[in-house]
Amino acid sequence: MRRLAFVLLLGTCSAANAVPQLGSPLSDHVVLQRDKPIPVWGTASPKEAVTVTLGEASRSTKADAKGRWRVDLPAMQAGGPFVLTASSTSGSAKADDVLIGDVWLCSGQSNMEFPVRRALNGEGEAQAANDPQLRLIKIPQQLAETPQTALQKPAAWQAATPDSVSGFSAVCYFMVRDLRASQKVPIGAIDDSWGGTPIRAWMEEASVRASGGEELARLAASHRASPTTATRQFGEKWGAWWRSQTGDAVGSEPWISGAALKWEPVPSLAYWDSWGPEWTRHVGAIWAERTVTLTAAEAKQAAKLGLSAVDDLDQTFVNGIAVGGLNDPANPRSYPVPPGVLKAGDNRIVVYVRNAWGQGGLAGPSDKFFLTLADGTTKPLGSDWRYAKIADSVPGPPAAPWGSSSGVATIYNAMVAPLGPMHLTGVAWYQGEADVGQLGYDQRLAAWMANWRTQFGDPQLPFLIVGLAGWGPVSAKPTESGWSTLINEQRAAVQRDPRSALASAIDVGNPADIHPSDKQTVGRRLALAAKSLVYGSSNGRFGPMPLRAERRDGAVVITFSKPLQTLSGAGALAFELCDAAPNSCRYAAARTEGSSVVLQADSRAVTRVRYAWSDYPIVNLYDLDLLPAPVFELPVN
């Protein structure tokens, strides 16, 4: 631990420093991937000769003009401990207690971030942890506009103990604990997760462009060149979204004219959970507004608008012009107001505020609200706010693709790129909630997998994808579901990629909580997927995947990849027959026959079939290993 700052703060030290440094996360207690060449990298003085030693292996190289170096040591079998050393005539750096084994990278949003201590029997699970050959590292949350070569916030490898396990990803821990028991080799697990984040934040900008995000990537690039221009451009995009959802005409939007809204005094500049019982954990949105009066001389100046943190997301306008907006529940807002936006007299500040889950609203306190003019004059804005509630039927808006954890490549640049060329056994991914409602997730998922395979130098890198757990209202009749649409796109991407597997979690959700606490089941299924895809203990098959749907003898027959069974009943629940028209789906009686499900046809047209198409479906179709069939939609041939 004494060497952590020295070993890991690669990005904070100049390459002119004489003593070599190891790149993050090559530190004490690290696990390096077995049976593959071992990349080791770091910095030294420019052009300085560096020798790297691990056990009996040794390689020499020379730092480049920027002081960066890399060597590839020969592959090693599982074992250790070893000492990893990088040395030059100027000195040396080393990592003690290095093991060779399997390295798993676990990533995604809040259900991957969800810690062991909050899982079912979480405290008991943590207290039982004691495995010196299971090593954990949690990457601190950080952002960057461009790819970084090192973590800007340090991280430390630790053996699995009650203290290190308690705050670690529950899904990841339960997966690797299972794999330690079955594979009998050292395992290193990297928890690289961040709640509420879309997949675009986790891949490089070029991959976002390649997967249908050209406009978002263009805006992000525009913001780097001119934040004011990009903010206005995004404000126009945001306004078009609002009008498409509400039917408001140009010029009648709430940030232009609020006359049509029912405004009420803001009870307090604090989370709206404190506004009254009906606001507790309210998921939804409001408009908040306030006017500030300026003289002609004051109005000629540029200014800075300060707001408190907004949980989770805001879009802010001054006199009808977008000046900022972030998806960032933790940090106060500070938005520049360019010259020409303000005017003599009353200036109207309008803030869209949306909460996605948990507590929400303007965090406060009141002294965080102000307008500071270029000459230093400050106008306090800590009182006299009004709000108007937005109908629940208006969905969540787009978020600005920069400056926050929902930006284009902002997490990838800071939390993935710095892991360098480190070799992995595989990746476990639990994400998608933040992408619900945005079609094309299968394209984004494919582009993300391709990006990470390039990043980690392995075109065959395996990916284990968690299909989202059920969350939301239970439906008694067929309905449309953005949740199911995304899971179906997860499935489609996995079925097109032979080096990936889908671990369905549709049956372990909670209709009232987007963060179900049964992470043990999800971890176990990921471990089974790893054994199938990576370790070859299940003949390469995992989970019952639908292959095709076809008409046969007056019925519709769906063929799956594995034999099936129904639990608690002779028939399979949640199957639907549909034609091409919206709202044409109807439930169908279904029975299993080996690896097939036979749907009883009716007299109506059928062009497609759906399964478990609901935010929170009730299902009973499993394979013989008790793995559930995933949500899907297929055309009928």
Side-chain angles (χ1 to χ4, degrees):
M1 295 299 289
R2 293 192 301 270
R3 286 183 297 276
L4 276 179
F6 171 72
V7 173
L8 288 174
L9 291 179
L10 178 61
T12 65
C13 299
S14 169
N17 288 348
V19 179
Q21 297 182 70
L22 291 167
S24 52
L26 305 177
S27 65
D28 292 352
H29 317 303
V30 65
V31 179
L32 301 174
Q33 181 60 43
R34 62 173 169 151
D35 302 331
K36 293 181 181 180
I38 300 173
V40 181
W41 66 98
T43 61
S45 295
K47 304 297 184 179
E48 184 172 28
V50 178
T51 298
V52 177
T53 303
L54 178 65
E56 298 181 357
S58 181
R59 292 287 188 274
S60 295
T61 188
K62 184 179 288 187
D64 65 15
K66 295 184 178 180
R68 294 192 289 251
W69 56 264
R70 171 183 168 175
V71 300
D72 287 282
L73 300 175
M76 299 174 64
Q77 295 181 344
F82 301 102
V83 176
L84 174 65
T85 304
S87 60
S88 72
T89 57
S90 305
S92 65
K94 69 175 182 176
D96 287 324
D97 188 29
V98 175
L99 297 180
I100 309 299
D102 287 346
V103 182
W104 283 92
L105 175 54
C106 301
S107 191
Q109 58 181 110
S110 54
N111 272 303
M112 182 61 84
E113 186 181 10
F114 192 96
V116 170
R117 64 175 176 267
R118 291 177 55 198
L120 291 175
N121 188 33
E123 292 299 329
E125 296 280 19
Q127 289 302 312
N130 182 21
D131 187 347
Q133 292 211 326
L134 176 56
R135 307 288 177 80
L136 313 175
I137 184 170
K138 185 172 179 63
I139 306 300
Q141 293 176 352
Q142 48 203 292
L143 302 171
E145 293 297 316
T146 57
Q148 303 298 296
T149 57
L151 297 170
Q152 300 304 301
K153 297 179 181 179
W157 287 91
Q158 298 175 284
T161 65
D163 286 343
S164 64
V165 164
S166 179
F168 197 77
S169 162
V171 165
C172 188
Y173 173 70
F174 294 134
M175 177 188 76
V176 295
R177 183 182 66 178
D178 189 312
L179 293 176
R180 269 284 297 140
S182 63
Q183 304 307 309
K184 311 296 184 185
V185 298
I187 289 182
I190 304 171
D191 177 359
D192 201 348
S193 55
W194 194 325
T197 54
I199 195 171
R200 72 188 189 204
W202 290 96
M203 55 179 160
E204 65 179 357
E205 188 172 304
S207 297
V208 175
R209 292 180 184 273
S211 58
E214 174 65 33
E215 183 180 8
L216 291 171
R218 179 184 58 77
L219 282 169
S222 174
H223 188 264
R224 291 195 295 272
S226 174
T228 298
T229 300
T231 297
R232 290 200 182 190
Q233 290 172 338
F234 181 73
E236 294 170 0
K237 176 182 172 67
W238 200 97
W241 165 82
W242 175 266
R243 291 187 292 272
S244 72
Q245 299 298 321
T246 63
D248 283 356
V250 175
S252 66
E253 305 96 327
W255 60 94
I256 301 293
S257 171
L261 299 180
K262 180 183 178 182
W263 295 98
E264 299 182 46
V266 166
S268 64
L269 287 175
Y271 290 123
W272 59 42
D273 297 64
S274 66
W275 291 6
E278 70 276 15
W279 289 94
T280 301
R281 302 276 166 172
H282 173 68
V283 173
I286 65 168
W287 290 105
E289 72 155 11
R290 190 196 193 279
T291 59
V292 57
T293 303
L294 302 175
T295 67
E298 291 171 333
K300 291 178 180 179
Q301 303 179 51
K304 180 176 290 185
L305 175 63
L307 306 173
S308 74
V310 180
D311 194 339
D312 295 287
L313 176 149
D314 74 290
Q315 184 64 29
T316 298
F317 303 85
V318 175
N319 294 331
I321 297 173
V323 297
L326 287 175
N327 182 11
D328 183 355
N331 294 311
R333 304 324 197 227
S334 180
Y335 296 141
V337 182
V341 173
L342 300 173
K343 62 183 181 179
D346 288 343
N347 293 261
R348 186 164 174 258
I349 301 166
V350 180
V351 184
Y352 171 94
V353 179
R354 183 173 181 85
N355 178 46
W357 69 280
Q359 69 178 4
L362 298 163
S366 60
D367 62 4
K368 296 293 186 182
F369 296 78
F370 55 84
L371 184 72
T372 298
L373 304 176
D375 65 5
T377 302
T378 296
K379 303 285 186 178
L381 302 176
S383 61
D384 301 322
W385 284 83
R386 303 192 303 167
Y387 79 92
K389 208 166 184 179
I390 297 173
D392 292 342
S393 58
V394 179
W402 59 73
S404 71
S405 59
S406 60
V408 168
T410 50
I411 298 177
Y412 171 83
N413 290 336
M415 295 174 63
V416 182
L419 300 181
M422 189 173 193
H423 283 158
L424 306 172
T425 301
V427 175
W429 177 249
Y430 194 164
Q431 187 276 337
E433 298 93 335
D435 284 75
V436 170
Q438 303 171 49
L439 296 177
Y441 187 81
D442 54 334
Q443 300 175 49
R444 300 193 292 278
L445 191 62
W448 166 78
M449 288 190 286
N451 177 195
W452 282 30
R453 284 172 175 146
T454 299
Q455 163 78 28
F456 296 108
D458 184 356
Q460 299 298 313
L461 182 65
F463 285 88
L464 313 179
I465 311 298
V466 180
L468 298 186
W471 173 64
V474 178
S475 178
K477 60 183 180 180
T479 184
E480 297 307 311
S481 169
W483 203 257
S484 293
T485 299
L486 187 128
I487 301 172
N488 184 53
E489 291 180 327
Q490 290 178 310
R491 174 201 61 81
V494 166
Q495 287 195 270
R496 289 195 292 264
D497 189 312
R499 294 297 292 163
S500 66
L502 182 73
S504 177
I506 193 62
D507 59 334
V508 294
N510 183 332
D513 191 346
I514 199 172
H515 303 120
S517 58
D518 181 5
K519 302 304 186 193
Q520 288 89 337
T521 296
V522 180
R524 179 181 64 83
R525 288 176 182 173
L526 284 171
L528 288 172
K531 293 171 189 176
S532 172
L533 187 64
V534 178
Y535 299 108
S537 60
S538 301
N539 298 317
R541 298 189 302 171
F542 173 77
M545 298 292 278
L547 303 177
R548 58 188 174 275
E550 54 196 346
R551 294 175 179 83
R552 189 185 304 167
D553 299 328
V556 175
V557 179
I558 305 167
T559 303
F560 285 77
S561 59
K562 296 177 70 178
L564 301 164
Q565 61 179 327
T566 55
L567 305 182
S568 300
L573 302 175
F575 279 92
E576 301 173 20
L577 297 169
C578 314
D579 64 31
N583 302 312
S584 64
C585 296
R586 59 274 186 195
Y587 290 129
R591 69 179 190 278
T592 60
E593 290 185 358
S595 298
S596 297
V597 172
V598 180
L599 305 187
Q600 182 178 322
D602 54 22
S603 59
R604 297 168 58 183
V606 177
T607 61
R608 55 196 171 102
V609 294
R610 302 195 311 195
Y611 172 70
W613 206 268
S614 171
D615 293 349
Y616 188 84
I618 306 300
V619 298
N620 70 338
L621 183 64
Y622 291 76
D623 66 14
L624 303 185
D625 298 317
L626 292 181
L627 296 171
V631 174
F632 68 85
E633 179 179 85
L634 290 178
V636 177
N637 299 317

